[in-house]
Amino acid sequence: MAELIDGKRISKEIKDELKAEAEKFKAEGREATLAVILVGDDPASAVYVNNKKKACEYIGIRSLSYELPKETTEEELLALIDKLNNDDSVNGILVQLPVPDHIDENKIIRSISPSKDVDGFHPLNVGALLIGEKGFVSCTPAGVIQLLKRSNVDIEGKECVVVGRSNIVGKPMGVLLLRENGTVTIAHSRTKDLKTICKRADILVVAVGKPKMINAEYVKEGAVVIDVGIHRMDNGKLCGDVDFDSVEPIVSKITPVPGGVGPMTIAMLMDNCISSLR
Ligand code: NDP
């Protein structure tokens, strides 16, 4: 039976470390402030924003909340971001994605000052990651690295396969594993013979966005499997991109869904907020 990689426990551990760090900064008269912008009334986005605000409260990060109507124009949103970019009391700016269709998401991402881009989506931060310079790193893949390290999974020299090449998960995930000296393959929808490639992996990270796609035929015995996917099934329960029941008996470690990668994303967002005081 595989060991479960407990994202709930590990994210709590990280948040408690950050809380202690925030208290230390507070004693020096310094406090991190995160501005969270939500445009429109998408219920899932409202839940994510609320969870982020709660995490800020727990750690001792000041959060400013901007809940804008869905009719907000691109110009109005850009003007708010500009104001926050120029506000020295604000360390981090987060625009909850997706934004309504009439707003250009790429333009919004590029308008946030790279030094306040705690989501790590700005091209300057993406570029910094690629060349190994300091910058904000996309929270979900950064969380995966923490899950591996804090579960004593050695990445150096390992065959790492990432399934998915999105800008926010797959690509930065590949670069981070490379930075940890893994030997990395990034697979995608045009990859030939995905099963054989996945079966090579000592560490398999799946961010494919397809419920339970990766089953036992894709994994090597004893591999470590990280499931980034999250889907709500017809019965209301959550599942990942990995078919947990078929994969779990043959691997050494695996993340559950829920309670694996999910809680790590917010923990790493909080880490990015505090890191601007370091
Ligand atoms: P995207 O849809 O942006 O990317 C999916 C990737 O999977 C693409 O690169 C695509 O390839 C590839 N892909 C699709 N089908 C196949 C296939 N049959 N074989 C091989 N590759 C395939 O998704 P995201 O990266 O944004 O998210 C992935 C999953 O992670 C989703 O389930 C999402 O909900 C979840 N997620 C969870 C987070 C968390 O906090 N836990 C945070 C972010 C995402 P191609 O590029 O060729 O089209």
Side-chain angles (χ1 to χ4, degrees), residues 96 171 240:
Q96 183 64 45
K171 281 181 199 156

Side-chain angles (χ1 to χ4, degrees), residues 153-168:
V153 176
D154 200 10
I155 302 170
E156 183 160 330
K158 295 284 165 60
E159 282 278 353
C160 304
V161 175
V162 180
V163 191
R165 57 171 165 182
S166 70
N167 287 339
I168 61 166

Side-chain angles (χ1 to χ4, degrees), residues 199-247:
K199 250 187 150 54
R200 279 203 320 242
D202 300 312
I203 299 172
L204 179 65
V205 182
V206 187
V208 77
K210 301 256 152 64
K212 299 190 183 182
M213 181 183 132
I214 301 298
N215 60 30
E217 293 172 19
Y218 290 77
V219 294
K220 175 168 81 176
E221 207 178 314
V224 174
V225 175
I226 305 287
D227 187 354
V228 181
I230 184 148
H231 310 274
R232 193 166 293 279
M233 294 183 289
D234 292 341
N235 63 8
K237 286 193 176 163
L238 295 174
C239 76
D241 291 345
V242 174
D243 181 5
F244 185 90
D245 293 340
S246 95
V247 168

